[in-house]
Amino acid sequence: MTWRADVRSAGVPAGMRRLGDLRLECLVGVEAGLVSNATPLFAWLQDMLADPDKICASPDGNYLFFAERPLFGVTLQAGARRAALPFRMLYAGGTQTPATLPYCDCQVLLDRTYYAPLWDRSWPDDTLLSFEAMDDDAQPAMEPAP
């Protein structure tokens, strides 16, 4: 089981997230100690040393977000600028091993995890994230050419 703050600005289209909301969720989550990704023996020490600025404003911050459904991809959009999150920002960054997975609050939700570029201020707070789920309706196969 995991806990996260949930910040939702009015007017964000259904199925999308606003980057500024995710930035605030990270700060609240770190301050409140809502993240569990250490052995129980050392979790108290990790909570005591957690620095929201280092976690939420650094590319190495390691703050995971969870989508509603298993992910195939995440796209950011700010005005005309669009970019897909790279694979290394999905599925807990592909860094979990059988030895570390039991200590990640993503253990049973790994296929729903993603990192948002909270630290990258070239993406404004109003950037929208859209999600392509693994179980979205597949596009019909194209007919083979005669």
Side-chain angles (χ1 to χ4, degrees):
M1 183 164 78
T2 189
W3 298 93
R4 289 287 194 269
D6 188 31
V7 177
R8 305 278 177 150
S9 291
V12 175
M16 300 182 97
R17 297 300 311 270
R18 183 178 169 274
L19 188 58
D21 294 347
L22 298 177
R23 287 178 170 136
L24 183 55
E25 281 183 21
C26 181
L27 292 170
V28 170
V30 173
E31 285 288 345
L34 298 179
V35 181
S36 57
N37 59 1
T39 64
L41 182 62
F42 295 106
W44 66 272
L45 181 60
Q46 178 180 317
D47 289 346
M48 199 169 75
L49 299 175
D51 179 350
D53 289 330
K54 287 185 179 175
I55 293 172
C56 301
S58 167
D60 299 323
N62 201 27
Y63 191 87
L64 283 173
F65 293 95
F66 297 93
E68 297 293 324
R69 297 169 26 214
L71 289 172
F72 183 72
V74 179
T75 302
L76 294 106
Q77 182 169 355
R81 182 180 177 201
R82 292 177 58 91
L85 285 181
F87 181 78
R88 71 180 182 278
M89 293 182 74
L90 302 173
Y91 318 117
T95 60
Q96 296 299 318
T97 66
T100 62
L101 199 54
Y103 306 113
C104 181
D105 58 359
C106 64
Q107 185 175 11
V108 296
L109 299 172
L110 198 56
D111 58 354
R112 297 171 187 231
T113 63
Y114 65 98
Y115 292 107
L118 307 177
W119 62 89
D120 186 348
R121 289 297 176 173
S122 72
W123 292 102
D125 285 343
D126 286 333
T127 299
L128 292 177
L129 284 76
S130 60
F131 304 90
E132 184 179 356
M134 287 185 189
D135 59 357
D136 282 346
D137 291 336
Q139 298 296 321
M142 297 183 66
E143 295 285 326

